[in-house]
């Protein structure tokens, strides 16, 4: 599993399992001079914390982050930032009955196949808790981007069959689903009640809009901005689709419908529409970036399911323990974090795109 | 633009512009001992070659590949394989009238913003011709995978609003659209006639099914198989969405509908369904892998479009020259090639997943 | 400072400063199934621990390692291994008087120039304590290699002008200098007494012999085994030269003297000599690998030195605090650790060198 | 052999064998806007060209470089630059008699062990001709550095037992050995005559001085400037040692002798000496960088040598064909090229070291 590092210039390495001692991340390549405290990171972690509504797992974790290195007198020093979150509420007994079985929709079987055995306590490394390291690192990336006027608006677009109909920014933080539409949130609540009653679960979709991104980010042809965003977001457990701008809808449009024209505004070149979602030829075009992720339903459901155990017997499995009937709202900040990580990596890469900029950089410094 | 390398163990670096002297790729990390000739690669390049139907650009390119290194007496030597395709039909005059304007839907504007100027002959590096290097490298990857019993079935799933209704493998090579459904191909043809008449263009979607992949490929948490496939496919110009298995549909399913159960068949563990598209927790599960790409309509359309030129004047632009009314059929082999590159990279990565395998490898050799 | 990761398949990321809360490393790419406990790592850390003789700093650090992830029921799981060592004896007051000055021979000035400011408590990230992460990771690499019959013999070859004259393996652990020659160790002791009396310090050289390495490791042309070893060893603070086999002596030999002939022994091809130090064309040849590192004298000396402070005033600086008059003996295990990291990385890389091996791997599994 | 790429931001991938169709390199990450023509590269290639004196192989190669991509209207575009040099004088018959034997001092045996077979025509990928790609790429790196006032002085320091005694810059280009000392060059010539007469060969050492490097380059702790230079230079075939500044001599110095003090000059901080060779803590300190490489004698010698053939028979081998009695003078430009590649990579990496610089970069652009 040597894929635990994301990025090549702003490099994040995450580690930790759901029921191990701790989880964390090392961020290498953060510029020196960024004001950074544990509260900056905690704010983001709190957004993914369990136990915040009856639609999220009742597992109680403090999820308190500790900065172990890379910060001195309140500012980053340019050296690696090590972040640590201890697991405090592990209760691994809950998972005893599934230790020998392959849970449908989970990675139990594939981990066993790949590694020869697995940490059967919870999902181990494939648990949703793995995203703690991503979110903690993303908080730092987002703080860097904020200094450049780049901001994120991430929210739930749909839960099950319930989709938002309008966009009210203020509403996002007012309902437990992070939906920018109060009426949709109400319908989502009813939808989930039915799921819970039926011992079932729901999926949904998340959108992330990014404003203020300068034109020029993205390194063709394999580290294009959209390719890196796709990789970043698809690497989140449970994500099954990533779309940019019109996404799958683009496939059924005509060229005359999908093309974004250019015009002038106050002497600046802007686009007359944004079907592209802010990315042309894999490079940011200065308009809003739009990323969409489709998330499958929580695989842990209470109703009996057909499966096989490690002794190769077909069994009926009932999964007990605490599980979110929907993980989408908690994944909103994870999508945002991954987009921030991708962007800051390409932000640094772009600094050597033009020789004149390189010369200016070194001649002035 | 230092993003021209894909993969970390089977590493491909592509180079070349649409109207430069040549295009090509260097493949580093190909194992020694693979029988390889130019015809193995040419076969794939011919599948993306222009001028094969009236729905593809009339530009005539031989697109003949030359192997410059890495092969000796008909077998790969383990050293880098350099592939070269000369551009023979450049006719750069055709593009004269667009040299100073930003074509809607193209990367002209973003390349200018990133690099300060651009190669205005055709799309330069953002042209579809850039995929020649990908396809040539993918042919080698596919040949390695073939030795392991891994096979690809890629085809057009939809063009514009025309979607396939059934799957007839033999039909894929029988129509100019690579559709596994003769009736759909007929409707696609009519749809495109209308597009051409209206000086417009169409998009569509491509599916790639991969059979025979052993369980265990994928390196959590950032080089998961699905994340790498997403990056590989999204990096193809014009792709706006990537889906795995149920894809966006998964978001509206319930857990009980989306979960794939396990059962036994001839003593082997298999899944009772494949909503996951062959990937669980980012690792292949031994069942068929299913990847879907949504492709936007060809941006070059003959009807006048509103845009801006480099002198910052708003203008009406008419794009002349040879352009595909739909690029989807020619992109089928590109999607297949990128999937092959991703897979072979993870195939090698997986060889050191278990200590026992490493020991066995070196003790026997 | 995004250079804190070593290796591409067995990847180590180190973090931590001399006077921060802790230091550590994340190892990504360790195969599953390696028996591993904290004692395996502690054994190596103890070899570099300060306070073991009067020639090493009196600073007392427990340097106790904690494994936070990646190990379950006594075996590695294939997921990232996070290692933590808390700093317990920081006494940062000692460094107060040098906070504003550039110590000669240290990285104070260059860190200030690169990052705009620096963690002035001790060396920060450029302290010798940074090697804790390397040694901890190296212990794991060495344990993997041990399973393949690969073993290390690292020792001090010289201290100041005192060089070993003979090689007695058992003696290495019997003197505080890790010298395989008791008489030389005695002379080194006298040499250092003089240094201490003169408020001065000494450098020296370290050799690492590696036995049991199979032929074939090394990835030409830039990840050759010797290139990777050179990078690994030169990245250790205070190392100013790296040699392989005859090293600099090779420059004055004739071809007829330096060439290693081949002969047969028990039906196996072996070399008649080993001037090459076990590496031909950047690839291991099956004979003993020999690496040599030259280490400059400890820069912290008690006698007054001429330097400049941050207010750009020329001053005379006296460095107080606890400092090793020679760091060479404590660096022996660091050189060994870095060599182990380089080797294991190339060991995994080599597994896909031949197509037949790849096929055999997947067909049998 | 997936180690054919050097660098992570200015990335060079070389390919090609001594007796294949061609050799070349792809440079990815070159900033847009660098004036570049084939003559810029040819100038460097001519410095390594064979056939320039009686001490170099008589093989005649045009070694004419062709730029295939990445340059438009005389300037780099930011896209990958592909360079091609055709092999014109292959005469592979010369090598017939060594096809089945392992030449002492060569990589024949290790290539066979690693890959299962080898391209037996000349050294294949391990031939000195492989450096063509390095030198061609290095020429571009050097041209970038030149724009920033960074310049290289590389020369032969010794041949066999003949070492330079003084440094006369103008003399370097006046003798066939690139020695900055006419008297030493004369003695070297006599030394080589004896070698040739004895059917033997010589090694030597090369120094590279780099002026004008700004302070701050190097990414601790594994991509330190000295570590990257060591890797870059040690990856050149035949190099057996790399030294920085005092190099191995540092091991026998005392702290008071080796430490470089700081003082002021015209208000700037400078060092009072340069034992460190311009690098402190792995980061450039603004003074001259000094790198030294020790090169083993040419392994191909005409006198009979004991070896083994592929049928595992002990034989006496006489190597015929054209071989340099010393390769040191031709390697001077290779060392220079590798240093340039390492420097330019770290030059770009350093641009995101400080947050203020990143903000200034994007706010101004």
């Amino acid at each position: 599993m040597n894929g635990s590092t994301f990025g090549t210039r702003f490099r994040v390495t995450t580690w930790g399992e759901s029921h191990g001692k701790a989880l964390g991340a090392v961020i290498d390549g953060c510029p020196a001079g960024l004001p950074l405290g544990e509260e900056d990171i905690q704010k983001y972690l709190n957004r993914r914390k369990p136990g915040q509504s009856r639609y999220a797992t009742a597992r109680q974790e403090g999820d308190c982050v500790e900065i172990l290195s890379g910060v001195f007198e309140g500012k980053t020093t340019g050296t690696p930032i090590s972040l640590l979150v201890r697991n405090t509420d592990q209760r691994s007994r809950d998972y005893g009955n599934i230790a020998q079985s392959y849970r449908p929709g989970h990675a139990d079987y594939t981990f066993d196949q790949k590694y020869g055995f697995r940490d059967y306590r919870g999902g181990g490394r494939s648990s949703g808790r793995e995203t703690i390291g991503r979110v903690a690192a993303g908080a730092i990336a987002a703080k860097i981007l904020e200094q450049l006027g780049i901001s994120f608006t991430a929210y739930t677009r749909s839960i099950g069959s319930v989709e938002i109909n309008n966009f009210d920014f203020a509403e996002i933080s007012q309902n437990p689903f992070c939906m920018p539409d109060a009426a949709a949130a109400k319908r989502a609540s009813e939808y989930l009640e039915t799921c819970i009653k039926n011992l079932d679960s729901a999926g949904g979709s998340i959108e992330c809009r990014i404003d203020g991104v300068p034109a020029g980010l993205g390194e063709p042809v394999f580290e294009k901005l959209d390719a890196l965003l796709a990789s970043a977001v698809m690497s989140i457990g449970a994500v099954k689709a990533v779309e940019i701008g019109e996404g799958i809808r683009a496939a059924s449009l005509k060229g005359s419908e999908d093309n974004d024209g250019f015009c002038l505004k106050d002497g600046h070149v802007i686009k007359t529409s944004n079907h592209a979602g802010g990315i042309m030829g894999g490079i940011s075009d200065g308009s809003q970036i739009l990323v969409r992720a489709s998330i499958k339903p929580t695989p842990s459901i209470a109703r009996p399911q057909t499966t096989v155990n490690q002794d190769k017997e077909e069994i009926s499995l009932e999964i007990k323990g605490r599980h979110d009937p929907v993980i989408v709202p908690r994944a909103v900040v994870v999508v945002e974090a991954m987009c921030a990580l991708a962007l800051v990596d390409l932000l640094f890469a772009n600094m050597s795109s033009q020789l004149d900029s390189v010369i200016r950089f070194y001649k002035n410094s």
Side-chain angles (χ1 to χ4, degrees), chain A:
Chain A
M1 194 192 265
N2 71 352
S4 292
T5 298
F6 184 84
T8 52
R9 299 107 195 151
F10 185 87
R11 235 182 324 202
V12 180
T13 303
T14 72
W15 54 270
E17 294 89 39
S18 60
H19 289 70
K21 285 189 171 181
L23 300 111
V26 180
I27 294 95
D28 195 22
C30 183
L34 179 74
L36 188 72
E38 281 155 0
E39 65 284 3
D40 291 311
I41 299 162
Q42 197 60 52
K43 212 164 50 182
Y44 275 73
L45 287 178
N46 290 349
R47 288 171 60 194
R48 75 160 291 292
K49 220 156 73 170
Q52 308 199 102
S53 85
R54 65 170 309 228
Y55 306 110
T57 169
R59 173 170 171 167
Q60 295 296 332
E61 289 283 355
D63 285 357
C64 286
V65 71
E66 189 182 5
I67 299 177
L68 295 176
S69 69
V71 175
F72 180 57
E73 298 186 338
K75 287 194 297 184
T76 57
T77 59
T79 65
I81 302 168
S82 180
L83 304 175
L84 180 78
V85 172
R86 293 265 173 192
N87 280 325
T88 53
D89 175 26
Q90 304 175 13
R91 282 211 281 172
S92 55
R93 283 145 294 154
D94 277 355
Y95 293 92
N97 71 324
I98 53 124
Q100 306 304 321
S101 313
Y102 299 129
R103 290 170 298 166
H106 278 278
D108 300 344
Y109 176 70
T110 51
F111 267 66
D112 245 18
Q113 290 292 304
K114 185 174 187 70
Y115 299 110
F117 75 111
R118 68 186 159 99
D119 178 347
Y120 51 71
R121 306 164 302 168
R125 182 70 175 151
S126 73
S127 159
R129 281 191 70 70
E130 173 267 324
T131 60
I132 283 179
R134 300 170 182 245
V135 171
I140 299 176
K143 192 155 191 203
I144 293 171
L145 295 170
E146 193 189 18
Q147 313 264 329
L148 293 162
I150 299 171
S151 63
F152 293 80
T153 310
Y155 52 90
T156 299
R157 183 193 164 94
S158 69
I159 285 181
S161 57
V162 180
E163 201 155 325
I164 58 169
N165 291 320
N166 69 316
F167 185 85
D168 174 0
F169 176 79
E171 180 60 30
I172 296 174
S173 55
Q174 300 300 311
N175 63 72
F177 307 113
C178 304
M179 281 178 137
D181 175 341
K186 190 161 178 302
R187 280 180 290 129
S189 165
E190 291 157 8
Y191 180 87
L192 286 173
E193 289 298 336
T194 315
C195 287
I196 292 170
K197 212 172 81 186
N198 295 337
L199 308 179
D200 216 334
S201 65
S205 63
I206 291 169
E207 269 180 0
C208 183
R209 302 180 184 186
I210 317 172
D211 289 286
V213 178
L217 307 194
E219 299 294 317
V221 295
F222 297 118
E223 293 190 66
K224 288 175 172 176
L225 176 49
D226 40 5
L228 199 52
L229 287 169
S231 159
V233 172
M234 190 68 95
S235 76
I236 304 169
V239 171
K240 301 301 286 184
V242 181
E243 300 171 271
I244 304 292
E246 291 287 349
I248 66 154
R249 210 179 143 251
S252 55
L253 293 178
K254 302 221 170 68
S256 60
E257 296 163 332
D258 188 60
N259 281 353
D260 300 318
F262 291 97
C263 65
L264 295 170
K265 192 183 168 186
D266 306 334
H268 294 287
V269 177
I270 61 163
K271 297 193 314 185
T272 55
S273 57
N274 190 15
H275 300 285
I279 305 173
M280 307 290 286
I283 299 171
S284 61
D285 65 17
S287 58
Q288 187 184 64
I289 289 170
L290 179 65
V291 183
R292 199 177 303 116
S294 295
I295 293 184
K296 72 173 190 174
T298 314
S300 289
I301 54 177
R303 66 166 74 175
Q305 295 180 92
T306 303
T307 191
V308 168
N309 64 19
Q310 285 177 316
D311 297 333
K312 292 209 172 175
E313 297 164 327
E314 296 188 344
I315 59 165
S316 174
L317 178 73
E318 281 176 65
I319 297 173
K320 299 199 171 72
R322 305 149 301 181
H323 299 287
D324 298 353
V326 67
I327 59 155
V328 176
R330 291 181 59 198
V332 168
V333 68
V334 184
V335 170
E336 182 179 323
M338 290 309 302
C339 290
L341 292 175
L343 265 181
V344 81
D345 196 51
L346 293 174
L347 193 84
F348 297 165
N350 183 52
M351 292 177 73
S352 55
S353 291
Q354 298 184 25
L355 183 64
D356 282 354
S357 317
V358 176
I359 293 173
R360 208 177 314 125
F361 184 92
Y362 281 102
K363 286 286 154 86
N364 292 348
S365 71

